[in-house]
Amino acid sequence: SGADTAATASTSPAAASREATARQPASAEAAHAVANLDPASSPQRRVVRIAHFGDEKASAEARHVANWALHSGDNGGRAVVVVDKKDARVFVFDPEGQLLGATPALLGSMVGDHTVPGVGDKPISQVRPEERTTPAGRFIAEPGLNASGEDVVWVDYEAAVSMHRVRPTVKSERRLERLASSTPEDNRISYGCINLPRTFYEKVLSPSVRTRHGAVIYVLPETQAPQQVFGSYDVPNADILALFANPSR
């Protein structure tokens, strides 16, 4: 997936001034946002981090949470993983906001944002259909192993919810076909775990989690607003900040 790079303060006050004049922000608030990117406007160089989706399509809620996590620093300098349950998509950003990749995903078959107490202690054969939810919330990614010795990324260890490679072991479930379909409507099939294409898990997610920075996983809710779950806010003039911020690489 295409992606822009991370947002930092401009290195040249003159260049920042020329860009600001040429683009002519439409409001005083927008002009203030642009000015904050100019090192001459503050005694200290200010780093502005925004999620750069590039040409990748993403919902307004995914953009809202990714921008807020980076702008507010809620990610704590870690990589940012956004799981959009409504669209059945996963986005991974480095700590500076550069999109590392995006992919469809398979999710819990039951719509819901909460984990049923004790479900993580049950054998999978005893998990009832109504208990197969993918919980919403903010989680610190934890690399580890499942009961079969397969490496996974734990989202909620106590609830036995992880991100892992898709396992097409039950032919009738058509998990690979569901991942490849053009709609999210058929992506609800798991017991709660987040299934990813093998290549994406191994080349994008796993390396991001296993770096020294680690990662924060934001699983978006589907029965309430993101603000209710994360206490998030809309980043003012996020589109303008993305335009004027210099890439770091």
Side-chain angles (χ1 to χ4, degrees):
S1 302
D4 293 332
T5 48
T8 60
S10 300
T11 56
S12 168
S17 177
R18 287 196 297 272
E19 282 190 287
T21 302
R23 296 184 185 273
Q24 294 182 341
S27 67
E29 186 180 22
H32 177 68
V34 173
N36 280 339
L37 297 177
D38 185 345
S41 67
S42 173
Q44 294 183 338
R45 181 183 176 92
R46 178 180 177 181
V47 177
V48 179
R49 293 183 176 88
I50 294 291
H52 289 270
F53 284 84
D55 296 328
E56 193 68 44
K57 292 182 179 179
S59 69
E61 291 184 342
R63 293 177 183 274
H64 165 86
V65 171
N67 281 332
W68 161 77
L70 287 154
H71 186 266
S72 66
D74 184 80
N75 63 319
R78 302 179 181 91
V80 171
V81 180
V82 175
V83 180
D84 188 340
K85 291 198 288 180
K86 291 180 181 178
D87 276 1
R89 289 188 66 78
V90 171
F91 305 88
V92 179
F93 301 88
D94 74 9
E96 297 299 319
Q98 179 181 356
L99 182 67
L100 299 177
T103 184
L106 302 181
L107 303 159
S109 58
M110 179 58 61
V111 172
D113 293 324
H114 302 287
T115 297
V116 176
V119 70
D121 298 324
K122 289 185 175 183
I124 195 166
S125 60
Q126 295 180 17
V127 178
R128 299 191 299 269
E130 65 272 18
E131 297 175 332
R132 299 171 187 177
T133 59
T134 299
R138 178 188 187 275
F139 305 92
I140 301 299
E142 296 182 23
L145 302 175
N146 63 13
S148 300
E150 176 192 14
D151 66 286
V152 301
V153 173
W154 289 109
V155 178
D156 186 339
Y157 182 82
E158 295 299 322
V161 174
S162 69
M163 302 179 79
H164 59 72
R165 305 169 185 84
V166 62
R167 305 183 193 117
T169 53
V170 181
K171 188 175 180 180
S172 62
E173 291 181 342
R174 301 174 56 253
R175 294 201 179 203
L176 294 179
E177 291 85 352
R178 291 170 185 269
L179 274 176
S181 73
S182 60
T183 172
E185 301 302 323
D186 60 353
N187 288 41
R188 309 303 291 261
I189 186 66
S190 82
Y191 282 72
C193 287
I194 300 161
N195 293 200
L196 302 171
R198 174 180 290 273
T199 299
F200 187 89
Y201 175 86
E202 294 178 352
K203 302 296 185 182
V204 180
L205 179 72
S206 183
S208 299
V209 171
R210 287 171 167 78
T211 64
R212 63 184 178 86
H213 299 292
V216 181
I217 302 170
Y218 298 88
V219 182
L220 307 190
E222 52 190 339
T223 63
Q224 53 192 318
Q227 292 88 336
Q228 294 175 277
V229 174
F230 304 112
S232 51
Y233 57 79
D234 287 323
V235 176
N237 303 296
D239 53 343
I240 295 174
L241 291 174
L243 284 172
F244 283 91
N246 278 352
S248 63
R249 59 183 176 184

